[in-house]
Amino acid sequence: MTEVIRDEEGRFVVELEGEIDLERAPALRKTLLDCVRRGRDVLVDLSRVTYIDSSGIASLVEALQDAGKSETRFGLIAISPEVMRVFELARLDKVFTIHPDLGSALEAGA
Amino acid sequence: MTAQASQLTSAQEPAAVSPAAPVIRVEGLQAFYGAQQVLFDVDLTVMPGEIMVVMGGSGSGKSTLLRHLVGLSRPAAGRVELLGLDITRARSMEMLALRRKIGVAFQGGALFSSMNVLDNIMLPLREHARLDRKTMEIMARLKLEVVNLAGADALMPSELSGGMLKRAAVARAIIMDPTLLFFDEPSAGLDPTVSSALDDLILKLREAMNMTMVVVTHELESAFKIADRITILDQGRILLVDDVAGVRRSDNPRIQNLLNRRSEETEVDAQAYLQRLTGETPTPPAATNETPEAS
């Protein structure tokens, strides 16, 4: 997994790539919580993620919870159908704001 | 159709499975309890994403087969390969790595009575992963959501119904997102409604997580609902491996008996029976040191 963090109109966009598993999840958790705790809105681009396991999803959930506490927004972009099936299994599609692409997310003011 | 022929046909034309290498390959598996042979030259192949149901009457060897598939028993002869690793020859580090990819939902739940549900479910993570406790708790609660046990995290196993125990066992079995999931009699002791819901859960898990599953059961209705293929064991030998339609149309009288739930006179090996009664046991070809269990 590689991570790229960039500034997009005042919000962090975290671009993830590859597989997110038990080995990678701790680093992802740290990255996401660091971004959220800096008080900015966060968008996580999952378009190049080929696999994400429960530990990666748990990191997203924890970051979402922290964002809620600090009243910043936390959204996901471009979830693949495979990952979406796992989200739907745990009904996480009802919890996260999920945008089809970055343009839609920016347009929606996320 | 013979078991061998049926299995070859199914292996060449698998239903709804990828052309990738088998997830499970069993060749020539033999097992004994003391002097008594309980598995005879069992061959079995399970393909990625497939749900293989193993059926058979009491004493057919299905639980023994499961114990060998999950590495709890060592075969007297033969080979058991999981995810490309021959577990009969694997080193302990290889087995440790393999166990991260395998989940087992035991018949009785096998939860620790002194731990609440959440701690029980997190147990494999604490053994195999280095994660923040908060991450592990969220993972465990996600699995409780998946198995429809949301909010049960603080309950003790003694406070759970039979169906809830089974679901908690499934939650623990899938906590590591296994590639391969084994179920031992998931429907045993459950009423039809709860049993059917568990079948739905098995299918849902396969669809969402693309797991390969082996389900040992004696519940026909459940088997026909969830199976891609069914292996029927009889007195330690594979009688048939086929899809549901193939099993239904089999004219083998022993399979028909199983399907129609007719009791059947078990063939008696007079010599072995006499030896059991008198306590005289012949020297086995290669014996395990296990205790017998119900199949």
Side-chain angles (χ1 to χ4, degrees):
Chain A
M1 182 190 74
T2 57
E3 300 169 3
V4 175
I5 305 169
R6 58 188 176 82
D7 186 294
E8 184 77 39
E9 299 175 17
R11 58 182 71 73
F12 287 123
V13 175
V14 182
E15 296 176 347
L16 305 177
E17 187 172 344
E19 296 191 351
I20 303 171
D21 56 17
L22 285 170
E23 306 299 322
R24 310 269 190 252
L28 172 63
R29 174 178 182 268
K30 184 177 183 308
T31 298
L32 295 178
L33 292 180
D34 283 350
C35 287
V36 168
R37 286 167 187 173
R38 287 165 74 174
R40 294 213 228 160
D41 294 343
V42 176
L43 287 168
V44 182
D45 186 344
L46 296 164
S47 59
R48 287 193 290 276
V49 170
T50 53
Y51 171 77
I52 182 166
D53 74 359
S54 299
S55 61
I57 292 173
S59 301
L60 294 173
V61 170
E62 189 177 356
L64 174 67
Q65 185 195 33
D66 261 30
K69 285 178 187 167
S70 58
E71 297 184 348
T72 56
R73 283 179 288 195
F74 186 91
L76 306 179
I77 297 170
I79 294 185
S80 69
E82 292 78 16
V83 175
M84 185 57 97
R85 279 203 291 273
V86 178
F87 268 61
E88 287 169 349
L89 183 67
R91 294 183 296 175
L92 290 174
D93 54 321
K94 313 292 184 201
V95 175
F96 283 97
T97 303
I98 300 171
H99 307 278
D101 51 51
L102 179 60
S104 307
L106 297 177
E107 204 169 283
Chain B
M1 186 184 289
T2 65
Q4 185 75 13
S6 172
Q7 193 169 354
L8 285 172
T9 301
S10 299
Q12 287 162 355
E13 299 173 357
V17 294
S18 80
V23 174
I24 299 175
R25 193 197 304 268
V26 177
E27 292 173 350
L29 176 61
Q30 298 191 40
F32 291 80
Y33 286 132
Q36 185 186 359
Q37 186 162 4
V38 288
L39 290 177
F40 298 82
D41 291 319
V42 169
D43 295 335
L44 189 66
T45 300
V46 183
M47 301 303 288
E50 187 175 28
I51 298 179
M52 173 66 85
V53 170
V54 178
M55 297 192 73
S58 180
S60 61
K62 56 187 190 297
S63 290
T64 304
L65 175 60
L66 182 67
R67 287 181 62 84
H68 283 80
L69 290 179
V70 302
L72 288 176
S73 299
R74 290 187 70 81
R79 176 184 164 89
V80 178
E81 191 179 294
L82 302 184
L83 300 167
L85 179 70
D86 180 356
I87 65 171
T88 59
R89 298 172 192 275
R91 293 190 293 266
S92 57
M93 290 303 288
E94 292 174 317
M95 283 303 291
L96 189 65
L98 181 70
R99 287 192 193 289
R100 293 179 182 173
K101 300 174 184 173
I102 292 174
V104 186
F106 292 102
Q107 183 174 354
L111 302 182
F112 287 97
S113 59
S114 59
M115 294 181 186
N116 68 22
V117 168
L118 197 73
D119 283 332
N120 263 293
I121 293 170
M122 287 196 301
L123 202 57
L125 287 175
R126 290 163 69 177
E127 288 177 358
H128 292 288
R130 290 180 187 165
L131 296 170
D132 184 86
R133 181 170 174 90
K134 176 90 174 177
T135 303
M136 291 194 288
E137 287 180 355
I138 293 172
M139 290 171 72
R141 291 195 183 100
L142 279 171
K143 301 306 183 189
L144 285 173
E145 287 283 343
V146 167
V147 302
N148 287 329
L149 271 184
D153 39 343
L155 295 178
M156 301 302 284
S158 59
E159 298 175 285
L160 303 181
S161 68
M164 291 169 82
L165 272 174
K166 299 263 188 189
R167 287 175 177 277
V170 174
R172 189 172 65 180
I174 63 173
I175 190 67
M176 303 277 291
D177 299 315
T179 307
L180 179 54
L181 187 56
F182 295 93
F183 288 91
D184 186 14
E185 298 281 6
S187 305
L190 302 181
D191 69 51
T193 307
V194 179
S195 172
S196 177
L198 205 56
D199 291 340
D200 291 338
L201 173 62
I202 289 170
L203 291 170
K204 202 166 67 169
L205 285 175
R206 193 268 292 272
E207 184 185 348
M209 302 174 79
N210 198 31
M211 291 175 183
T212 304
M213 301 187 189
V214 175
V215 182
V216 170
T217 185
H218 65 274
E219 300 285 344
L220 271 177
E221 197 175 330
S222 174
F224 286 167
K225 183 174 176 180
I226 64 177
D228 292 315
R229 288 190 298 155
I230 297 175
T231 294
I232 296 182
L233 276 172
D234 183 54
Q235 296 180 35
R237 291 181 168 85
I238 289 186
L239 211 54
L240 180 73
V241 181
D242 212 335
D243 59 18
V244 171
V247 171
R248 282 186 191 277
R249 66 173 174 260
S250 168
D251 56 6
N252 184 311
R254 297 185 78 89
I255 291 171
Q256 284 305 312
N257 282 342
L258 185 71
L259 300 186
N260 297 322
R261 296 182 181 281
R262 285 200 295 267
S263 63
E264 179 178 80
E265 183 79 18
T266 306
E267 286 178 23
V268 176
D269 179 335
Q271 187 64 26
Y273 184 38
L274 186 60
Q275 285 170 335
R276 280 203 304 279
L277 290 177
T278 58
E280 293 175 9
T281 53
T283 305
T288 63
N289 57 355
E290 299 160 316
T291 53
E293 61 169 342
S295 282

